[in-house]
């Protein structure tokens, strides 16, 4: 019987590796590089314990705890600092990698009928799931060892072997856990989009729950798997229990996924797709309507997500306020810094993170135009009486409105929560303008996407690197003391950080104008080039 | 003759929907079995149950006298399958996929055979699957299937993307496999293809096999198409037993006759002085149409061929 179920698992595992022979090394190298470069940079920037204690002081507030988790700030060595600043965020990205890659090999292949081909060969019926789960558990183990040994080999005083291995294990453990989460949703959902959506949902909820509980009742954050990551206290207490929990959780998830896979029909799921409408509404019968309809669910999900992120950040502002009130030294420091409260000084940093997150859905909306082209569905439009300009404009309109809605919702969410928890709340106008001021930068990102689709569609994913770059320089720029010209390569670097900076209208106008010109170029290019078939 | 594939009372429910409702089919050794029916009738569901991909709700299904669900792996070592809608891994080449499929059976790859098939089907195996058209993806699956030394070929609308030349090549390989004593289960929409290739045919509708037998047997159940011109107009043709789909052409009449009534009808019309008589055997299409349209729309079906 076991042979019927698991036959050829080994060969399928090889096949999974063969298909990902480029992806896996790129991810692994990326994680290794970004993890190892951080302690080296910290060593240069915060070499002395005094420097690090100052850093620890600025970290000691609820907003930072919500973002990166708690840490032993009384013993802020290079090791503790690296673990504090980097481990949780890296773990989230490791989770994301596992979600994307595991979905590809499970529900992704099943949805497109490739599992059917495999199943028609002498392969066991659980072989593909088992092979995928085994390979990715192995990859995460390799990741854990690479990071662990790599960190240790940096030979930094506070980074001992046990702490380094635990650091790696926390990342690898999170990865294996999310392999399990994805394997489970690959059984429950009928599509790969659903699998990715639900799994990322779990990842985000785990992050938010951990943030909220870390700030309020820290013990409660044991309910979030991402809470376990910070509970390891790498290079300090070196607590291995969370790793054990991650592994036990993974085994349970694998077992459930296997069981569900065994009892369901191929290409069926447990969340059944409901049947849709018989007729297309009048609105759907236009390219604009279709473009919107195709993305409806995603747009709603992102809108809720950004609002929730705004609310989560807003809810810690109250704690931040009361925290500073009880701290006289801090109050004095604030007086010296031009009359802005510490809370106010946090706003631009929160805004830039939210604005960059709010850029993702409009850029996705724009790139959807090329996505449809690659799948050969653009022909359906162009073979009918729809001009290319009209088609592109339809997707652009969605993206432009989408960006405005997203960044507004993040700002509104922030205001709603902060108004409820702060004693002396910000006015709605202050926070809304501080959010919406980033809109021209979002427009630039949309126009970069559009111009690539118009001129060099093969390179349309470059816009994601550009956005990632913007995030890195604006979020970590201060921490790593990067030169300011690096920020100026990103449109987000030109936006005044309200309410701290003065409002400047010139960069806003220039960015908007530039976005408009790029869009024009994109439109001209799109009209001239071949459509891919 | 021993049965290679045998199902008895095969039933498959998807929730409340009954996709298969007691399907009985038998494919014998060295036989090409045509499995026909419209979209959604249950062809692919039957095939997927036979491949152990779907689990039957009730009934038995065996291949090589082994249970299709429990012994799936053992059975698949001797089975080659081609689906109608072939989806391949976009970043692998066609050649890689062919080798992968062959390797999966555990046997060594017969390189000579593989090359011959690639050449015959005019496939470029060095291209990535993402660049293949539907027809080319189909060819990859066909090459992988025929290059495997299988005893049973399960082909689910295998020619749906092929051009007529490639269809010809496909038919050659089906005949070759048959000559070697292998069995083939061919599900198809292309009735002329089934007519050409198949020894026996099963017609499925709404999850039930409604007709099965050799083509000759089935023809007995159906009608011959006649086109007749006579010196004097034929009277009473309409009221004659076994005459259907009567149509007045320019200077002749066309109609269909139930095979068992053919004798009496010919006797009747011969008395009007036959000038021209064309007869065409019932095509599978007539058969098919009769089964599918017969119940709803009377006798409108047949006259297309003649």
């Amino acid at each position: 019987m076991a042979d019927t179920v698991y036959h050829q698992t080994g060969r399928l595992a090889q096949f999974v590796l063969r298909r990902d022979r480029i992806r896996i090394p790129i991810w692994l190298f990326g994680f290794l590089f970004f993890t190892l470069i951080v302690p080296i940079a910290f060593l240069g920037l915060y070499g002395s314990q005094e420097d690090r204690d100052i850093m620890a002081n600025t970290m000691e507030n609820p907003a930072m705890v919500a973002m990166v988790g708690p840490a032993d700030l009384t013993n802020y060595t290079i090791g503790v600092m690296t673990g504090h600043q980097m481990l949780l965020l890296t773990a989230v990205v490791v989770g994301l990698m596992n979600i994307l890659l595991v979905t590809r090999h499970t529900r992704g292949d099943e949805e497109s009928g490739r599992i059917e081909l495999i199943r028609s060969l002498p392969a066991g019926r659980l072989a593909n799931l088992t092979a995928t789960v085994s390979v990715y558990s192995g990859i995460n183990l390799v990741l854990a060892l690479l990071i662990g040994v790599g960190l240790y080999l940096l030979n930094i005083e506070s980074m001992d072997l046990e702490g380094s291995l635990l650091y790696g294990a926390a990342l690898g453990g999170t990865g294996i856990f999310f392999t399990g989460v994805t394997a489970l949703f690959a059984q429950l959902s009928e599509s790969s989009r659903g699998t990715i959506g639900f799994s990322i949902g779990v990842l985000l909820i785990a992050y938010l729950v951990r943030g909220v509980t870390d700030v309020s009742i820290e013990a409660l954050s044991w309910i979030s798997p991402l809470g376990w990551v910070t509970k390891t206290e790498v290079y300090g207490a070196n607590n291995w229990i969370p790793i054990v929990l991650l592994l036990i959780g993974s085994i349970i998830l694998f077992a459930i996924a296997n069981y569900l896979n065994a009892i369901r029909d191929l290409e069926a799921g447990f969340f059944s797709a409901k049947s849709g409408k018989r007729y297309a509404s009048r609105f759907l019968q236009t390219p604009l309507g279709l473009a919107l309809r195709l993305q409806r669910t995603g747009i709603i999900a992102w809108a809720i997500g950004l609002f929730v992120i705004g609310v989560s950040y807003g809810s810690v502002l109250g704690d931040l306020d009361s925290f500073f009130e009880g701290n006289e030294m801090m109050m004095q420091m604030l007086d010296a810094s031009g009359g802005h409260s510490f809370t106010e000084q946090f706003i631009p940093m929160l805004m830039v993170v939210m604005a960059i997150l709010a850029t993702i859905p409009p850029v996705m909306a724009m790139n959807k135009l090329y996505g449809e082209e690659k799948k050969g569905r653009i022909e359906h439009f162009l073979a009918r009486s729809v001009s290319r300009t009209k088609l592109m404009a339809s997707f652009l309109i969605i993206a432009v409105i989408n960006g405005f809605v997203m960044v507004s919702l993040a700002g509104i969410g922030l205001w709603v929560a902060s108004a409820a928890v702060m004693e002396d709340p910000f006015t709605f106008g202050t926070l809304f303008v501080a959010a919406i001021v980033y809109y021209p930068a979002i427009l630039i990102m949309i126009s970069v996407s559009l111009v690539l689709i118009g001129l060099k569609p093969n390179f349309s994913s470059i816009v994601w690197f550009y956005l990632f770059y913007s995030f890195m320089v604006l979020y970590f720029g201060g921490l790593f003391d990067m030169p300011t010209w690096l920020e100026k390569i990103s449109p987000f670097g030109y936006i005044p950080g309200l309410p701290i900076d003065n409002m400047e209208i010139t960069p806003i106008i220039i960015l908007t104008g530039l976005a408009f010109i790029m869009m024009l170029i994109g439109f001209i290019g799109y009209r001239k080039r071949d459509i891919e078939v | 003759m021993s049965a290679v594939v045998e199902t008895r009372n095969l039933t498959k429910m998807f929730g409340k929907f009954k996709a298969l409702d007691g399907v009985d089919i038998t494919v014998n050794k060295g036989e090409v079995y045509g499995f026909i029916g419209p979209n959604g009738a249950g062809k692919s569901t039957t095939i997927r149950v036979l491949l152990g991909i779907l689990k039957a709700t009730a009934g038995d299904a065996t291949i090589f006298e082994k249970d299709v669900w429990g012994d799936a792996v053992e059975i698949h070592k001797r089975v080659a399958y081609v689906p109608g809608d072939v989806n391949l891994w976009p970043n692998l080449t066609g050649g890689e996929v062919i080798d992968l499929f062959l390797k999966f059976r555990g046997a060594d790859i017969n390189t000579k055979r593989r090359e011959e098939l690639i050449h015959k089907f005019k496939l470029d195996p060095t291209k990535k699957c993402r660049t293949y058209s539907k027809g080319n993806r189909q060819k990859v699956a066909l090459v992988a299937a025929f290059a495997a030394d299988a005893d049973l070929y399960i082909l689910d609308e295998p020619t749906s993307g092929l051009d007529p030349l490639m269809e010809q090549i496909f038919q050659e390989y089906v005949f070759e496999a048959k000559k070697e004593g292998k069995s083939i289960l061919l599900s198809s929409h292309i009735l002329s293809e089934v007519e050409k290739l198949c020894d026996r045919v099963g017609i499925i509708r709404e999850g039930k096999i409604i007709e099965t037998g050799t083509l000759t047997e089935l023809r007995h159940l159906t009608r011959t198409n006649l086109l007749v011109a006579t010196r004097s107009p034929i009277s009473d043709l309409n009221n004659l037993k076994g005459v259907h789909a009567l149509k007045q052409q320019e200077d002749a009449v066309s109609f269909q006759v139930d095979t068992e009534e053919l004798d009496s009808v010919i006797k009747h019309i011969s008395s009007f002085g036959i000038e021209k008589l064309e007869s065409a055997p019932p095509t599978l299409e007539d058969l098919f149409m009769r089964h599918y349209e017969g119940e709803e729309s009377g006798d409108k079906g047949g006259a297309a061929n003649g």
Side-chain angles (χ1 to χ4, degrees), chain B residues 206-254:
Chain B
E206 287 167 13
K208 282 194 182 100
I209 296 283
I210 50 170
E211 206 71 75
T212 184
T214 64
L215 274 176
T216 333
E217 280 164 11
L218 291 187
R219 279 190 178 127
H220 268 295
L221 298 171
T222 184
R223 302 158 185 170
T224 305
N225 298 304
L226 291 181
L227 180 80
V228 188
T230 46
R231 251 166 294 165
S232 49
I234 310 169
S235 62
D236 259 359
L237 198 50
N238 232 342
N239 300 327
L240 221 56
K241 201 177 161 212
V243 171
H244 306 270
L246 185 63
K247 246 185 235 160
Q248 191 67 49
Q249 310 257 356
E250 271 168 45
D251 50 358
V253 282
S254 74

Side-chain angles (χ1 to χ4, degrees), chain B residues 135-282:
Chain B
N136 277 320
R137 292 199 302 268
Q138 202 97 41
K139 287 183 196 174
V140 170
L142 284 169
V143 169
F146 285 117
D149 188 24
D151 294 318
L152 171 66
Y153 294 85
I154 298 183
L155 313 172
D156 190 1
E157 295 176 27
T159 56
S160 51
L162 296 187
D163 63 52
L165 284 175
M166 289 303 132
E167 224 179 298
Q168 194 69 43
I169 308 275
F170 163 75
Q171 291 174 2
E172 279 173 29
Y173 279 103
V174 171
F175 279 126
E176 184 197 286
K178 187 187 157 184
K179 223 163 55 194
E180 289 167 7
K182 294 166 174 181
S183 313
I184 292 128
L185 173 62
L186 172 68
S187 127
S188 183
H189 275 313
I190 306 168
L191 300 173
S192 60
E193 181 179 273
V194 173
E195 211 160 14
K196 207 159 167 187
L197 295 173
C198 298
D199 304 304
R200 288 195 317 127
V201 174
I203 303 180
I204 186 169
R205 186 176 73 175
E206 287 167 13
K208 282 194 182 100
I209 296 283
I210 50 170
E211 206 71 75
T212 184
T214 64
L215 274 176
T216 333
E217 280 164 11
L218 291 187
R219 279 190 178 127
H220 268 295
L221 298 171
T222 184
R223 302 158 185 170
T224 305
N225 298 304
L226 291 181
L227 180 80
V228 188
T230 46
R231 251 166 294 165
S232 49
I234 310 169
S235 62
D236 259 359
L237 198 50
N238 232 342
N239 300 327
L240 221 56
K241 201 177 161 212
V243 171
H244 306 270
L246 185 63
K247 246 185 235 160
Q248 191 67 49
Q249 310 257 356
E250 271 168 45
D251 50 358
V253 282
S254 74
F255 53 91
Q256 299 176 338
V257 184
D258 285 341
T259 309
E260 58 265 42
E261 299 294 333
L262 197 54
D263 188 46
S264 61
V265 172
I266 294 289
K267 271 182 189 149
H268 176 77
I269 56 172
S270 63
S271 59
F272 297 92
I274 296 174
E275 285 184 325
K276 183 169 110 184
L277 175 67
E278 285 173 22
S279 100

